[in-house]
Amino acid sequence: MPGTFEPLPGGGAAVALDDVEISIIRSLAVQLLELIGPGPASDAPDDPLAELFAEGPSEPPADPVLRRLFPDAYCDPEQVPGSTKEAEEQQAHSAEFRRYTENDLRAGKRENALAVIRTLDVLSPVGEEGAVLKLSTEESRQWLGALNDLRLAIGSRLDITDEDDTDLLYRLPDEDPRKPMVMAYLWLGGLQETLVTTLMP
């Protein structure tokens, strides 16, 4: 089981993690939370209806990682912005879509990252053998979402856009400063792949 998720009887998944792995995943989840930003302010009106209809931003985020996590819904990424009437219409539709969906998307990604932190924080003390993390089916889905977001974030920092870029990462020399980030990206990919398998019917 080390390094790979396995299904639990009755649903959910389990994986053995050592203290270093726990520390890495927790640190990455905290960084993801900081990147996504805080939720509604504590002094916001306690009105669920108002929160439901609250508008989000209409412009894409400036940070390339956030643009990867919250891409435009209708725009062709290869198209020059505003180059044609069709492109302008796509931008307008994307802005409208973003205004009414990004807050919810951010909340979902925030909750997934928090679920990762919470489940790691309640693990039994780690010994030489490591600890076994056991997740319910719902926690497994939250972990899957968070692992995907972490890989998107790291992949964006590494300028990974397709499978060929991933193949090049395997051949990076050890002295390359990107190597630790690459190792985390590939390791998280393995965790994600085995977790997907556990959730398959």
Side-chain angles (χ1 to χ4, degrees):
M1 189 188 332
T4 61
F5 277 99
E6 293 184 0
L8 288 172
V15 62
L17 298 169
D18 63 30
D19 55 348
V20 173
E21 292 169 332
I22 291 168
S23 176
I24 290 171
I25 295 173
R26 193 185 188 289
S27 174
L28 290 172
V30 168
Q31 291 175 55
L32 182 62
L33 275 176
E34 292 170 353
L35 184 65
I36 292 169
S42 57
D43 60 350
D46 189 18
D47 182 352
L49 194 60
E51 190 175 321
L52 179 65
F53 291 103
E55 293 185 9
S58 58
E59 294 296 318
D63 188 300
V65 174
L66 288 175
R67 278 201 306 273
R68 182 78 67 92
L69 291 173
F70 305 102
D72 275 333
Y74 296 99
C75 292
D76 180 354
E78 303 300 320
Q79 195 168 41
V80 178
S83 59
T84 65
K85 186 173 188 304
E86 182 184 358
E88 290 174 2
E89 289 176 354
Q90 287 178 342
Q91 285 176 313
H93 290 311
S94 289
E96 190 74 2
F97 186 81
R98 182 181 294 279
R99 185 177 295 121
Y100 293 107
T101 60
E102 186 167 313
N103 283 347
D104 286 344
L105 290 173
R106 282 181 182 262
K109 292 179 184 299
R110 193 180 298 114
E111 191 54 41
N112 289 342
L114 281 169
V116 168
I117 294 168
R118 289 184 192 119
T119 53
L120 291 176
D121 284 350
V122 297
L123 272 180
S124 301
V126 181
E128 289 183 14
E129 300 286 321
V132 176
L133 174 70
K134 294 182 179 180
L135 304 174
S136 68
T137 302
E138 178 56 27
E139 288 170 338
S140 297
R141 290 194 185 98
Q142 291 177 307
W143 263 73
L144 191 57
L147 288 172
N148 186 62
D149 288 341
L150 288 172
R151 293 192 78 240
L152 284 173
I154 296 172
S156 180
R157 292 289 188 233
L158 292 170
D159 291 323
I160 297 171
T161 56
D162 57 38
E163 197 60 39
D164 290 340
D165 294 335
T166 305
D167 292 340
L168 291 173
L169 297 179
Y170 284 102
R171 298 193 290 274
L172 281 180
D174 289 343
E175 60 271 15
D176 192 299
R178 296 170 295 171
K179 190 73 172 187
M181 198 182 298
V182 167
M183 297 305 294
Y185 177 81
L186 297 174
W187 172 57
L188 292 174
L191 285 175
Q192 183 182 15
E193 186 176 342
T194 59
L195 185 52
V196 167
T197 303
T198 70
L199 293 173
M200 287 180 174

